[in-house]
């Protein structure tokens, strides 16, 4: 799972909270007479990013069905922060035993489209480990989960990049012959579905958390009785959690099936889960993430404990790993000098002779501050590893195009598509610039 100094300053002032006058309506609600709302979302690395307003300031949040806390903020370079109505708490994740300190702040106003919650709690993390922006390349200021889904019936359309949410009391479902209904199982206020997985050795029925906050297809937690990690699985970086980076192994699952939908050669990850976390996750077999759910348009109905899904245009796309083996993140801002060719003719007249001077196709230069791209992980035996790339290398060009021409997630998309493509990367290691070449190779 993966912010910028100007945002931090805004949040500091935002969180000097004042009590709301009057009696706040409980949970999210729509204006009187309004039956539904709609918002656009951005899809980045299979993650749904939505616009959110808190106490009048605008942010971008990750829509996360797997989050039991409504909102989690992450801060960088903040030593202290004063919050009204605040309580110090501890949060745990999968990455290590030690919990991290956070602050719960109450009595905040959150708006999502036309929907409003006048008394939502913020869970504020101060140590800077939860920095999605550096890994995804777009601003992400927090996570919203259970509260939003509990109060509405939510339609998520990956094809149109729109979310519609309905007041359950006035909701009339549309007929959908191609839709399939799945019952939801709730454990600790989180939604699960039953699915069947097939390995080379066996077929197992598993409970999977519906986790739109994960960009992967499938995570499975190793179990002493049933779920074993295949010997041929490879070590890899899996993502960011509340406590920091998560590592584990990856492999291909023979088949994943639920409610008549079958996916073959599905990417599966086995996170390193220690004994404490294994005890905490007892009875939970894994999670199903955005790489699966983006292949459907879905309707989530927490109150009726069900989800309706309909396959979309992404349904038949194959599953690929990062075929370069590189994990990138934003580094420090760097000055970029861009050249522009101006085709306009400029006519200068001499005051004495009035003879025109015509100048055309002249060059202009402008300076911009752009984030650098740093390699943070290189998978062992990957094409990038064999080409000699190392963590800490700065990426300068891809196939002769300067990297500042791309957004970070656009570069990542290159590494997940077009198997067999030839890549030419210019990188900087300390003071040395070099060029490496490799071919994108999928892991079978």
């Amino acid at each position: 799972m993966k912010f910028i100094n100007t945002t931090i300053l805004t949040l500091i002032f935002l969180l000097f909270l004042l009590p709301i006058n009057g009696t706040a309506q409980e949970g999210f609600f729509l204006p009187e007479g309004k039956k539904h709302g709609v918002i656009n979302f951005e899809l980045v690395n299979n993650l749904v990013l939505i616009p959110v307003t808190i106490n009048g300031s605008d942010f971008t949040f990750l829509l996360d069905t797997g989050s039991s806390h409504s909102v989690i903020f992450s801060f960088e370079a903040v030593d202290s922060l004063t919050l009204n109505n605040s309580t110090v708490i501890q949060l745990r994740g999968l990455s290590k035993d030690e919990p991290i300190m956070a602050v719960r702040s109450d009595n905040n106003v959150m708006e999502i489209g036309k929907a409003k919650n006048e008394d939502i709690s913020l869970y504020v993390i101060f140590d800077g480990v939860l920095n999605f922006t550096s890994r995804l390349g777009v601003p992400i200021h927090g996570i919203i989960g259970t509260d939003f889904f509990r109060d509405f019936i939510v339609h998520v359309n990956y094809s149109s990049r729109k979310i519609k949410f309905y007041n359950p009391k006035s909701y009339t479902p549309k007929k959908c012959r191609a839709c399939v209904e799945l019952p939801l199982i709730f454990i600790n206020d989180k939604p699960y579905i039953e699915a069947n997985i097939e390995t080379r050795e066996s077929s197992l029925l598993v409970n999977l958390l519906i986790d739109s906050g994960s960009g992967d297809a499938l995570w499975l937690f190793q179990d002493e009785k049933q779920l074993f990690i295949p010997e041929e699985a490879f070590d890899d970086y899996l993502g960011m959690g509340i406590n920091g980076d998560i590592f584990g192994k990856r492999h291909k699952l023979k088949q994943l099936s639920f409610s008549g939908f079958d996916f073959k050669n599905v990417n599966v990850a086995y996170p390193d889960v220690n004994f404490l976390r294994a005890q905490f996750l007892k009875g939970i077999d894994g999670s199903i993430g955005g790489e699966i759910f983006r292949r459907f348009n879905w309707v989530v109905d927490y109150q009726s404990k069900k989800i309706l899904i309909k396959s979309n245009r992404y349904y038949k796309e194959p599953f690929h790993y990062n075929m370069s083996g590189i994990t990138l993140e934003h580094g420090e801002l760097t000055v970029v000098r861009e050249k522009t060719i101006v085709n306009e003719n400029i006519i200068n007249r001499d005051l004495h002779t009035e003879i025109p001077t015509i100048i055309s196709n002249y060059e202009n230069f402008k300076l911009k501050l752009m984030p650098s791209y740093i390699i943070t992980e290189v998978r062992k035996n990957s094409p990038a590893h064999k080409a000699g790339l190392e963590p800490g290398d700065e990426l300068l060009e891809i196939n002769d195009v300067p990297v500042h021409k791309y957004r970070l997630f656009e570069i990542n998309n290159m590494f997940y598509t077009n198997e067999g493509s030839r890549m030419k990367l210019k990188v900087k290691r300390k003071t040395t610039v070099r060029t490496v070449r490799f071919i994108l190779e999928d892991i079978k």
Side-chain angles (χ1 to χ4, degrees):
M1 299 181 170
K2 301 215 171 247
F3 291 166
I4 298 182
N5 292 338
T6 54
T7 300
I8 292 170
L9 294 175
T10 303
L11 291 174
I12 291 173
F13 289 107
L14 165 68
L15 291 170
F16 282 90
L17 304 174
L18 296 174
I20 299 170
N21 295 327
T23 303
Q25 185 167 337
E26 184 179 355
F28 278 98
F29 61 92
L30 288 165
E32 188 174 349
K34 197 80 173 174
K35 294 183 178 181
H36 75 276
V38 60
I39 55 173
N40 296 320
F41 69 85
E42 188 173 9
L43 187 66
V44 178
N45 291 8
N46 300 321
L47 302 175
V48 175
L49 308 182
I50 65 172
V52 169
T53 300
I54 300 176
N55 299 343
S57 297
D58 296 329
F59 304 97
T60 298
F61 273 38
L62 170 63
L63 189 65
D64 187 1
T65 55
S67 174
S68 57
H69 300 299
S70 298
V71 182
I72 301 176
F73 278 105
S74 179
F75 289 82
E76 291 178 291
V78 176
D79 296 325
S80 63
L81 188 65
T82 301
L83 299 172
N84 289 334
N85 307 317
S86 61
T87 306
V88 177
I89 61 171
Q90 292 182 337
L91 297 178
R92 291 187 180 275
L94 292 178
S95 52
K96 59 184 179 182
D97 284 350
E98 298 81 10
I100 60 175
M101 302 305 295
V103 170
R104 169 176 168 158
S105 173
D106 299 322
N107 306 125
N108 302 284
V109 178
M110 176 179 285
E111 298 171 77
I112 301 177
K114 297 295 184 181
K116 179 183 287 189
N117 187 324
E118 296 180 336
D119 186 17
I120 196 166
S121 298
L122 301 174
Y123 293 84
V124 186
I125 299 174
F126 291 97
D127 64 2
V129 297
L130 197 63
N131 187 355
F132 296 122
T133 298
S134 65
R135 294 295 173 96
L136 294 180
V138 294
I140 301 181
H141 309 113
I143 300 169
I144 178 138
T146 302
D147 278 349
F148 187 67
F149 288 98
R150 184 175 55 227
D151 295 327
F152 295 117
I153 295 172
V154 182
H155 290 219
V156 182
N157 190 315
Y158 282 85
S159 301
S160 65
R161 303 286 199 273
K162 290 184 182 296
I163 295 175
K164 290 184 178 181
F165 44 95
Y166 296 81
N167 183 341
K169 295 180 180 179
S170 59
Y171 176 70
T172 302
K174 296 180 180 179
K175 292 183 179 180
C176 178
R177 294 182 179 180
C179 291
V180 174
E181 181 179 311
L182 288 75
L184 294 178
I185 304 166
F186 282 87
I187 303 174
N188 295 328
D189 208 27
K190 295 182 180 181
Y192 292 78
I193 62 170
E194 284 190 345
N196 191 78
I197 60 171
E198 290 187 28
T199 66
R200 296 176 184 177
E201 294 79 22
S202 61
S203 176
L204 301 172
L205 185 65
V206 291
N207 284 332
L208 300 177
L209 170 68
I210 298 177
D211 189 5
S212 64
S214 168
D216 278 337
L218 184 66
W219 279 25
L220 293 176
F221 303 132
Q222 188 178 15
D223 185 283
E224 294 179 359
K225 299 178 180 179
Q226 299 181 26
L227 297 174
F228 296 97
I229 301 176
E231 292 183 3
E232 59 271 28
F234 59 91
D235 295 320
D236 202 8
Y237 167 80
L238 302 187
M240 295 186 73
I242 289 177
N243 304 73
D245 289 336
I246 299 175
F247 295 88
K249 293 183 179 292
R250 295 190 187 273
H251 196 245
K252 290 280 188 178
L253 195 67
K254 184 178 179 181
Q255 184 166 293
L256 168 69
S257 304
F258 52 88
S259 296
F261 296 103
D262 300 317
F263 297 97
K264 299 183 183 299
N265 297 316
V266 179
N267 295 350
V268 59
Y270 300 90
D272 292 333
V273 180
N274 56 37
F275 177 77
L276 176 63
R277 300 271 58 77
Q279 290 297 106
F280 179 73
L281 296 167
K282 191 172 183 179
I284 300 171
D285 301 311
S287 65
I288 185 168
E291 176 62 17
I292 293 291
F293 278 108
R294 73 176 181 86
R295 299 162 191 268
F296 298 92
N297 298 330
W298 35 283
V299 180
V300 183
D301 186 349
Y302 273 25
Q303 296 191 7
S304 299
K305 296 184 178 180
K306 64 183 180 181
I307 179 171
L308 274 70
I309 58 175
K310 178 182 178 181
S311 59
N312 59 30
R313 56 192 173 97
Y314 304 115
Y315 181 74
K316 294 184 178 181
E317 288 186 359
F319 294 88
H320 290 300
Y321 286 115
N322 182 330
M323 292 182 281
S324 69
I326 294 172
T327 299
L328 288 171
E329 75 173 13
H330 276 172
E332 296 180 353
L333 293 176
T334 184
V335 178
V336 174
R337 184 171 181 260
E338 280 194 341
K339 180 173 67 176
T340 58
I341 304 296
V342 180
N343 293 315
E344 277 187 298
N345 291 337
I346 294 182
I347 301 177
N348 295 323
R349 291 185 178 272
D350 187 280
L351 293 178
H352 300 289
T353 63
E354 294 190 355
I355 298 174
T357 302
I358 301 176
I359 305 173
S360 62
N361 295 331
Y362 66 95
E363 294 182 351
N364 265 355
F365 293 91
K366 60 181 178 180
L367 301 179
K368 297 196 302 184
L369 278 176
M370 302 292 289
S372 57
Y373 294 124
I374 306 300
I375 297 175
T376 59
E377 305 287 341
V378 180
R379 189 177 66 239
K380 187 177 180 181
N381 297 323
S382 66
H385 179 259
K386 293 175 182 177
L389 294 179
E390 298 179 358
D393 289 347
E394 180 182 351
L395 184 58
L396 303 177
E397 293 182 1
I398 301 177
N399 295 335
D400 298 318
V401 178
V403 292
H404 70 265
K405 299 286 187 179
Y406 300 105
R407 300 173 75 181
L408 180 54
F409 70 87
E410 292 174 330
I411 298 176
N412 288 329
N413 286 343
M414 293 184 195
F415 297 153
Y416 279 85
T417 56
N418 301 322
E419 181 180 5
S421 294
R422 297 180 180 275
M423 306 300 294
K424 176 185 175 184
L425 305 186
K426 181 183 286 188
V427 298
K428 181 180 180 181
R429 183 177 301 167
K430 295 183 179 179
T431 59
T432 303
V433 176
R434 58 188 297 229
T435 298
V436 300
R437 292 176 171 83
F438 56 81
I439 297 174
L440 295 180
E441 297 176 4
D442 199 13
I443 299 175
K444 307 301 182 182

